[in-house]
């Protein structure tokens, strides 16, 4: 089936929904298939807040990168970076510092291929295929070592990806191994599916969680205490582990609708 689409890499199964393509569709992208769109429509029908959560998450990513760039961070390792869409990390980072380095990493070959074609001709932004569950294969990848200088601060972004890592894969251990490779003054940026607040929204969210159980990447919902534990020794910056809506909102934007389901945190290595 994939041979019908010139841009789909060999071996990609387009008969089951995929997290990166579903999210691409949720954000208005075009690198998705009927199975992904159908999945998203069912998710939105079950949980009408799903679209807002996706957009709020993406807006947080841009604000966090700008916030870090303003504090002098010039290197970004974005793991679970997704299919390029509106407001990509290298655009925000290189707007602030034209020589900012960005390494994208994703497990999905389509996300990697689309990123590679977008980044052609950009010497300071690259992409590799990699798995967050194997952090050393990312940290010691020759392209990563060629682009990023780990004797200087690096911001590691795990945005809307850790909720695909079950406890059995030791997400705290994964973050610790990534954090151990960084110098003081480096950052960890995280966003994660968090529990809805009202009983009705929680029931809706549970329906979506059940839908994701049928995909290769089931979603694990974690609360602020669990996220704080994942972050370990890093110092969580203000305003703490909060809904993305409340993380340094742009002052000139209209007050955004709160989204409990999109929990975020930014933490600094001491
Ligand atoms: C919801 S998208 C988030 C994209 C982007 N970080 C954002 O928040 O806008 C999640 C991405 O994580 C990727 N992903 C899932 N599991 C992964 C893993 N174990 N290692 C690397 N990437 C993974 C998926 O392929 C997908 O592109």
């Amino acid at each position: 089936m994939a041979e019908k689409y010139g841009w789909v890499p060999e071996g990609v199964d387009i008969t089951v929904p995929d997290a990166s393509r579903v999210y691409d569709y949720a954000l208005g992208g075009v690198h998705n298939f009927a199975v992904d769109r159908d999945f998203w429509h069912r998710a939105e029908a079950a949980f009408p807040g799903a679209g807002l959560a996706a957009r709020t998450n993406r807006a947080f990513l841009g604000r966090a990168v700008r916030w870090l760039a303003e504090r002098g961070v010039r290197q970004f390792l974005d793991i679970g970076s997704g299919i390029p869409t509106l407001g990509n990390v290298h655009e925000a980072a290189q707007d602030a510092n034209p020589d900012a380095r960005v390494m994208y990493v994703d497990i999905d070959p389509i996300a990697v291929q689309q990123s590679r074609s977008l980044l052609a001709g950009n010497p300071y932004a690259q992409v590799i295929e990699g798995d967050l569950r194997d952090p050393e294969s990312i940290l010691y990848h020759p392209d990563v070592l060629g682009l990023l200088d780990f004797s200087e601060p690096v911001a590691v972004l795990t945005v809307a990806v850790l909720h695909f890592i079950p406890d059995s894969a030791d997400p705290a251990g994964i973050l610790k191994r990534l954090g151990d490779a960084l110098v003081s003054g480096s950052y960890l940026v995280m966003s994660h599916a968090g529990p809805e607040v009202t009983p009705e929204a929680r029931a809706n969210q549970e329906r979506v969680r059940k839908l994701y159980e049928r995909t290769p990447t089931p979603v694990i919902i974690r609360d602020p205490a669990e996220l704080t534990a994942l972050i370990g020794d890093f110092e969580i910056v203000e305003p703490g582990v909060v809904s993305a809506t409340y993380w340094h909102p742009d002052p000139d934007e209209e007050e955004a609708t709160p989204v409990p389901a999109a929990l975020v945190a930014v933490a600094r290595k001491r």
Side-chain angles (χ1 to χ4, degrees), residues 139-151:
L139 290 167
Y140 297 117
H141 191 289
D143 293 358
V144 175
L145 292 174
L147 186 70
L148 303 180
D149 173 2
F150 284 91
S151 69

Side-chain angles (χ1 to χ4, degrees), residues 6-183:
W7 54 273
V8 177
E10 192 85 6
V12 171
D13 185 353
I14 61 168
T15 65
V16 290
D18 173 88
S20 64
R21 301 190 314 247
V22 169
Y23 182 70
D24 175 66
Y25 181 59
L27 293 175
V30 295
H31 296 102
N32 46 71
F33 301 102
V35 71
D36 307 306
R37 296 189 283 272
D38 179 57
F39 180 89
W40 181 250
H41 292 150
R42 281 188 291 143
E44 267 201 311
F47 180 28
L52 180 64
R55 292 189 299 277
T56 302
N57 173 72
R58 189 73 187 176
F60 157 75
L61 173 61
R63 292 201 305 282
V65 170
R66 289 193 293 276
W67 187 93
L68 291 164
E70 281 162 17
R71 277 149 192 83
V73 177
R74 306 171 89 86
Q75 306 191 92
F76 298 83
L77 178 58
D78 183 3
I79 308 177
S81 47
I83 295 172
T85 181
L86 211 62
N88 295 303
V89 167
H90 71 285
E91 291 155 358
Q94 293 180 347
D95 266 359
N97 300 306
D99 63 349
R101 263 72 167 163
V102 178
M103 178 55 82
Y104 291 112
V105 182
D106 204 282
I107 200 169
D108 172 35
I110 291 186
V112 174
Q113 188 193 58
Q114 293 305 316
S115 302
R116 192 161 285 138
S117 71
L118 178 79
L119 298 172
N122 187 332
Y124 297 146
Q126 297 176 22
V127 61
I128 59 163
E129 192 171 320
D131 187 339
L132 176 57
R133 290 167 296 184
D134 183 4
E136 285 73 23
S137 70
I138 297 172
L139 290 167
Y140 297 117
H141 191 289
D143 293 358
V144 175
L145 292 174
L147 186 70
L148 303 180
D149 173 2
F150 284 91
S151 69
E152 295 287 328
V154 175
V156 172
L157 316 181
T158 59
V159 178
V161 62
L162 277 168
H163 47 229
F164 299 125
I165 308 290
D167 289 348
S168 59
D170 189 17
I174 290 170
L175 291 183
K176 165 119 184 35
R177 282 148 67 193
L178 286 168
D180 284 350
L182 308 178
V183 296

